[in-house]
Amino acid sequence: MKVFITGATGTIGFHVARAFRRAGHEVAGLVRTPAKAKLLEAEEIRPVLGTLQSPAAWADEAAQASVLVHAAVDYTADAAQLDGQVLDVFLRPGAPGAPKRTVLYTSGIWIQGDTGGVPVDESTPIQPHAKVAWRPALERRVLASDAVRGAVLRPATVYGRGGSLTAMWFQGAVEGDVRVFGDGANHQAMVHVEDLADAYVRAAERSVAGEVFLLADGSRARVRDMVDAVVRAAGGKARVTYVPPSQAPEAMRKLAECLAMDQAADASKARRLLGWEPRHTDFAAGAATYLAAWKASL
């Protein structure tokens, strides 16, 4: 398969691109700068210079692919508008008589809202947080398109390698002061980035269409227990402060509210339809390994 990926050097996109290449597929990845392009070339991924803001510059490249993966997000700009522009390209009909392309759209678990720590699945009505209130409409565009085989992937909190949101815990533990939004009694659904990437490859290779997949490792750890494991891995001397989201800086308020949600997810559908089985299922047990990986990625 020929695969085109946005956000190809991002937390999710880079590992998804690598997973497709390791599976033997021809992969091209959208990247902003020549310096980052070298990261892709080292992984046998062909870089395509461009930005989400100017899709016309890479639309022809995307048209050559049989699998299109949107793994980029830019929260500093109008994320809804940028995602819409990407879908304008990705959802275009192919040449007459050509097989339909597969489009994989990256959403996220925050669209489910606070689940009260009770596992939800794809049939559970969504209650998107304000930070991602724009995503349901874009999910519907992908799922309803007759021009492509569209699927939506909703990852849980991603960890592993560079750390993603867990990097805040690592940095605080190393510097001696960890600040956690919420009271720590909440659960945070988790998924290792390598397991997540495997799900994307499986969804593309099985040509799924019209499906939504929640992707979480099934763990039910409290945030407090995961943070304590990180602190121990860093030497056990860091102070941990739990901060109500209402006290977060205004620019971080919505993010803080999302991180304080009590969420759990059931990924049985991905197991059933994709044969997906996460190999990493206990963030706290591997905290020392993940901390070391985060340090090495700096």
Side-chain angles (χ1 to χ4, degrees), residues 100-285:
K100 288 184 178 180
R101 293 189 293 267
T102 293
V103 171
L104 302 181
Y105 176 69
T106 305
S107 183
I109 196 169
W110 292 343
I111 203 172
Q112 303 287 160
D114 193 312
T115 75
V118 178
V120 297
D121 62 19
E122 296 82 358
S123 67
T124 306
I126 60 173
Q127 299 179 8
H129 186 274
K131 187 173 179 63
V132 294
W134 46 273
R135 275 192 167 147
L138 295 172
E139 285 192 2
R140 290 192 293 270
R141 277 192 66 187
V142 173
L143 298 173
S145 174
D146 292 328
V148 303
R149 292 188 298 265
V152 171
L153 287 77
R154 295 178 184 164
T157 298
V158 180
Y159 68 96
R161 304 297 180 180
S164 187
L165 291 173
T166 58
M168 293 188 292
W169 299 343
F170 298 141
Q171 183 172 351
V174 169
E175 295 177 352
D177 186 11
V178 186
R179 294 176 65 81
V180 181
F181 294 117
D183 61 10
N186 58 306
H187 303 82
Q188 198 166 96
M190 308 290 284
V191 64
H192 192 281
V193 69
E194 298 285 358
D195 290 327
L196 177 61
D198 176 55
Y200 279 76
V201 176
R202 289 173 178 271
E205 291 181 339
R206 299 190 180 207
S207 300
V208 296
E211 300 288 357
V212 176
F213 294 100
L214 269 171
L215 300 168
D217 65 14
S219 59
R220 297 290 305 280
R222 299 183 306 169
V223 167
R224 182 181 299 271
D225 296 329
M226 291 189 285
V227 170
D228 287 349
V230 171
V231 170
R232 288 194 300 272
K237 298 181 180 179
R239 177 183 60 186
V240 180
T241 304
Y242 292 93
V243 182
S246 60
Q247 296 180 16
E250 183 62 33
M252 295 186 65
R253 187 72 48 79
K254 290 182 179 178
L255 173 62
E257 291 171 352
C258 289
L259 294 175
M261 288 193 292
D262 191 7
Q263 292 190 303
D266 180 354
S268 296
K269 181 178 177 180
R271 288 180 167 89
R272 185 175 69 255
L273 296 187
L274 303 180
W276 182 68
E277 193 63 46
R279 295 179 173 86
H280 311 77
T281 57
D282 193 337
F283 172 86

